[in-house]
Amino acid sequence: MTDQEATEQSQVQLADILNTAHSLVSLLNRRLGSSGTVRPVAQESERQSVEGQSRQTETGPQSGQLRCPQRSGSVHQEMARSFPGLFRRETKGKRRFTPYTRPKKSFLVNFFLLEKQRSKTPKGDEELQLILAGLGKRSLSVTESLTHTELTDLLLNAFPRLASINGGWLLYKSTGGGGQRRLAVIPPDSDGHSGHQLKTVSGNGKCTLYITPLQEQIETSPLPPDAKEFENMPKAPCTTCNNMVPLQALPFHIKSCKEEMIYLSSSPENESFTQDNESPLRTKHQTEMTTECPVCRGIFSTDAIETHASDCGIRSSNQECNISTSEDESNYFQSSEEILNWISGQVDDSCTFSLCVSRFDLFSRGMQQWQRQKKSRPNCRLKVSFLGESGIDTGALSKEFLTEMVSEIENKLFVGSADKKGKNPLYCLNSLDTNYFRTAGEVMVASMAQGGPLPNFMREWCYRYLCSGDSDSIQVSTNDVTDSELFHLITEVNRATDENINELTDDIVGCGYTGKVSVDKKDLIMRAIVLHSTMRLVPMLDQLRKGLQLCGLLQVMKTNSDLCLPMFVPGEDGRVDAAFFLERCQPGFS
């Protein structure tokens, strides 16, 4: 029999079955319409006899009407009785219990999203900066049956900024120990990261897993308090703006919110307002919250006085002085004292560079006040007033301010080593972006010109570059490396052997060395590390040179580099003073 004949035969059988079913349904409908009950075909004779008896009992002389017979069962029962295989769904045999399924156990894993590829874990202040940018740590519930796709969706829900990465990401695990630790990559399985793998590498959630982008870098600018990343964080209201702010970001928000909410009164009536014409209805609390500006003698609130003082400089009608120094004028100096006296003579005493600063956080506040001053130039006579302190600057307050600022510049913008032979600029792009190094150069010139301390805390190679501006003339050695991590790397390379030098390959390549990593190439490797440590500081020194152009000092340094060397590079101090006695005095114990 061919396939076509078999198909035709099956179609004929199907047609017969359908015809039989239609006949059966029509028969049931007729019987339901006639008597209201359904009986089996085998009991048709019994149905006729019972039907005859019911007619005799239901028809009587008194009623004269036909009564409807009482149904013995529902239609479903009759259909189940006639077709037990179709309408009876009861299972035969013993009734079994529902099989027990063990619930899936979940465990918490701490994930930390980094902004870029790192070889070590971030520091404490960096962690807070990442949290404010919507990155940082999240605790997520993970099961062992979790797949890579489910893990990706879970991380995207916890870190919305992770969705902007197109170059992929990997998981890293930190090594043991405290402080900054090295990161080791967690290679994914053939089907990606799974819940069982995460449970194993994290020690059942005890270790933090770091998410690192491979080819891109995430922006670390702080997000607004109502960002999606802060929805699940605990929040508290800010008393200044009444906005709900995450607790981690609340200290920084309070500081910035107060600066934004400062009210500056620009009308002449408010600027000339004094306590003599103050309203008698003014309360004692309101009087205590106001301060007199030492420059214009106006009354302002304590929150607004500092910002007002930055724009309230006293200036005469003279034009700004652009001082230029020719080579002929700067070649006759015989000593460093003569150079300092000449710089002092370049100060414009007819104009005043006025600052009103607070002793709290003097470095950042002083830098900001210096940069905001627009009514006069920093080569004018410096006048300083401290907030909350009465007094007129006749020279002592400005010297105190310059002394504190030069000391803060040395501590905040420069870093030294144990040999105490000078410091290098700190590799800080934030300070470079805010022009702090240029402002530091202007403060140094003002300090030398107006009786302040000398900035003699730099390395000699830094001073030589400030004089020439040519990076090809820089001569550095391993002693000029003041960065602790790079100095430690140089020490490890110097001690390395053939067995363990390969462990330092990543750090060596990160310093720009592209040759073969071996013990025979130690000198070349250390030279590359030294150049990497010093050459990356050239932008900071270039910005510092722009500040040193004040009062023509940079031109003097070019033509008299040896005479200006003691003003910037530390040396032997032979003066006998109190500091000399304290350094030389040593107790003699019996």
PDB file of all heavy atoms in Angstrom, residues 480-491:
ATOM      1  N   ASP A 480      65.175  60.653  42.495  1.00  0.00           N
ATOM      2  CA  ASP A 480      64.189  61.706  42.241  1.00  0.00           C
ATOM      3  C   ASP A 480      62.761  61.182  42.206  1.00  0.00           C
ATOM      4  O   ASP A 480      61.838  61.971  42.009  1.00  0.00           O
ATOM      5  CB  ASP A 480      64.502  62.401  40.909  1.00  0.00           C
ATOM      6  CG  ASP A 480      65.806  63.168  40.966  1.00  0.00           C
ATOM      7  OD1 ASP A 480      66.073  63.789  42.011  1.00  0.00           O
ATOM      8  OD2 ASP A 480      66.558  63.139  39.971  1.00  0.00           O
ATOM      9  N   VAL A 481      62.547  59.903  42.368  1.00  0.00           N
ATOM     10  CA  VAL A 481      61.201  59.319  42.394  1.00  0.00           C
ATOM     11  C   VAL A 481      60.667  59.438  43.813  1.00  0.00           C
ATOM     12  O   VAL A 481      61.197  58.825  44.749  1.00  0.00           O
ATOM     13  CB  VAL A 481      61.223  57.842  41.939  1.00  0.00           C
ATOM     14  CG1 VAL A 481      59.833  57.245  42.023  1.00  0.00           C
ATOM     15  CG2 VAL A 481      61.772  57.738  40.527  1.00  0.00           C
ATOM     16  N   THR A 482      59.629  60.231  43.995  1.00  0.00           N
ATOM     17  CA  THR A 482      59.039  60.429  45.328  1.00  0.00           C
ATOM     18  C   THR A 482      57.700  59.721  45.487  1.00  0.00           C
ATOM     19  O   THR A 482      57.169  59.682  46.597  1.00  0.00           O
ATOM     20  CB  THR A 482      58.838  61.928  45.588  1.00  0.00           C
ATOM     21  OG1 THR A 482      58.023  62.489  44.547  1.00  0.00           O
ATOM     22  CG2 THR A 482      60.170  62.649  45.618  1.00  0.00           C
ATOM     23  N   ASP A 483      57.158  59.174  44.407  1.00  0.00           N
ATOM     24  CA  ASP A 483      55.911  58.419  44.509  1.00  0.00           C
ATOM     25  C   ASP A 483      56.198  57.093  45.208  1.00  0.00           C
ATOM     26  O   ASP A 483      57.088  56.333  44.804  1.00  0.00           O
ATOM     27  CB  ASP A 483      55.324  58.187  43.117  1.00  0.00           C
ATOM     28  CG  ASP A 483      53.952  57.549  43.182  1.00  0.00           C
ATOM     29  OD1 ASP A 483      53.880  56.305  43.234  1.00  0.00           O
ATOM     30  OD2 ASP A 483      52.945  58.283  43.188  1.00  0.00           O
ATOM     31  N   SER A 484      55.457  56.793  46.263  1.00  0.00           N
ATOM     32  CA  SER A 484      55.748  55.616  47.082  1.00  0.00           C
ATOM     33  C   SER A 484      55.556  54.314  46.303  1.00  0.00           C
ATOM     34  O   SER A 484      56.360  53.385  46.427  1.00  0.00           O
ATOM     35  CB  SER A 484      54.858  55.621  48.330  1.00  0.00           C
ATOM     36  OG  SER A 484      53.482  55.631  47.968  1.00  0.00           O
ATOM     37  N   GLU A 485      54.501  54.232  45.489  1.00  0.00           N
ATOM     38  CA  GLU A 485      54.247  52.998  44.752  1.00  0.00           C
ATOM     39  C   GLU A 485      55.317  52.754  43.685  1.00  0.00           C
ATOM     40  O   GLU A 485      55.798  51.624  43.523  1.00  0.00           O
ATOM     41  CB  GLU A 485      52.867  53.051  44.110  1.00  0.00           C
ATOM     42  CG  GLU A 485      51.722  53.083  45.116  1.00  0.00           C
ATOM     43  CD  GLU A 485      50.373  53.057  44.436  1.00  0.00           C
ATOM     44  OE1 GLU A 485      50.343  53.024  43.190  1.00  0.00           O
ATOM     45  OE2 GLU A 485      49.345  53.059  45.137  1.00  0.00           O
ATOM     46  N   LEU A 486      55.681  53.798  42.951  1.00  0.00           N
ATOM     47  CA  LEU A 486      56.708  53.626  41.918  1.00  0.00           C
ATOM     48  C   LEU A 486      58.083  53.377  42.537  1.00  0.00           C
ATOM     49  O   LEU A 486      58.884  52.601  41.989  1.00  0.00           O
ATOM     50  CB  LEU A 486      56.735  54.858  41.017  1.00  0.00           C
ATOM     51  CG  LEU A 486      55.465  55.105  40.194  1.00  0.00           C
ATOM     52  CD1 LEU A 486      55.594  56.387  39.388  1.00  0.00           C
ATOM     53  CD2 LEU A 486      55.169  53.924  39.277  1.00  0.00           C
ATOM     54  N   PHE A 487      58.368  54.026  43.662  1.00  0.00           N
ATOM     55  CA  PHE A 487      59.646  53.762  44.336  1.00  0.00           C
ATOM     56  C   PHE A 487      59.696  52.319  44.837  1.00  0.00           C
ATOM     57  O   PHE A 487      60.740  51.656  44.769  1.00  0.00           O
ATOM     58  CB  PHE A 487      59.833  54.737  45.490  1.00  0.00           C
ATOM     59  CG  PHE A 487      61.177  54.633  46.157  1.00  0.00           C
ATOM     60  CD1 PHE A 487      62.299  55.217  45.596  1.00  0.00           C
ATOM     61  CD2 PHE A 487      61.328  53.926  47.348  1.00  0.00           C
ATOM     62  CE1 PHE A 487      63.549  55.105  46.194  1.00  0.00           C
ATOM     63  CE2 PHE A 487      62.561  53.810  47.963  1.00  0.00           C
ATOM     64  CZ  PHE A 487      63.680  54.403  47.378  1.00  0.00           C
ATOM     65  N   HIS A 488      58.556  51.820  45.325  1.00  0.00           N
ATOM     66  CA  HIS A 488      58.498  50.413  45.755  1.00  0.00           C
ATOM     67  C   HIS A 488      58.677  49.479  44.563  1.00  0.00           C
ATOM     68  O   HIS A 488      59.318  48.428  44.683  1.00  0.00           O
ATOM     69  CB  HIS A 488      57.165  50.155  46.445  1.00  0.00           C
ATOM     70  CG  HIS A 488      56.980  48.731  46.878  1.00  0.00           C
ATOM     71  ND1 HIS A 488      57.676  48.164  47.922  1.00  0.00           N
ATOM     72  CD2 HIS A 488      56.165  47.743  46.395  1.00  0.00           C
ATOM     73  CE1 HIS A 488      57.309  46.900  48.070  1.00  0.00           C
ATOM     74  NE2 HIS A 488      56.405  46.620  47.157  1.00  0.00           N
ATOM     75  N   LEU A 489      58.121  49.866  43.397  1.00  0.00           N
ATOM     76  CA  LEU A 489      58.291  49.041  42.201  1.00  0.00           C
ATOM     77  C   LEU A 489      59.750  48.997  41.768  1.00  0.00           C
ATOM     78  O   LEU A 489      60.261  47.934  41.367  1.00  0.00           O
ATOM     79  CB  LEU A 489      57.404  49.583  41.075  1.00  0.00           C
ATOM     80  CG  LEU A 489      57.483  48.855  39.737  1.00  0.00           C
ATOM     81  CD1 LEU A 489      57.079  47.403  39.878  1.00  0.00           C
ATOM     82  CD2 LEU A 489      56.615  49.550  38.695  1.00  0.00           C
ATOM     83  N   ILE A 490      60.439  50.121  41.856  1.00  0.00           N
ATOM     84  CA  ILE A 490      61.872  50.137  41.514  1.00  0.00           C
ATOM     85  C   ILE A 490      62.651  49.216  42.449  1.00  0.00           C
ATOM     86  O   ILE A 490      63.534  48.467  42.021  1.00  0.00           O
ATOM     87  CB  ILE A 490      62.407  51.581  41.574  1.00  0.00           C
ATOM     88  CG1 ILE A 490      61.789  52.425  40.459  1.00  0.00           C
ATOM     89  CG2 ILE A 490      63.919  51.604  41.460  1.00  0.00           C
ATOM     90  CD1 ILE A 490      62.174  53.888  40.519  1.00  0.00           C
ATOM     91  N   THR A 491      62.304  49.248  43.732  1.00  0.00           N
ATOM     92  CA  THR A 491      62.981  48.368  44.695  1.00  0.00           C
ATOM     93  C   THR A 491      62.716  46.906  44.380  1.00  0.00           C
ATOM     94  O   THR A 491      63.635  46.066  44.443  1.00  0.00           O
ATOM     95  CB  THR A 491      62.511  48.702  46.112  1.00  0.00           C
ATOM     96  OG1 THR A 491      62.705  50.104  46.374  1.00  0.00           O
ATOM     97  CG2 THR A 491      63.277  47.900  47.140  1.00  0.00           C
TER      98      THR A 491
END
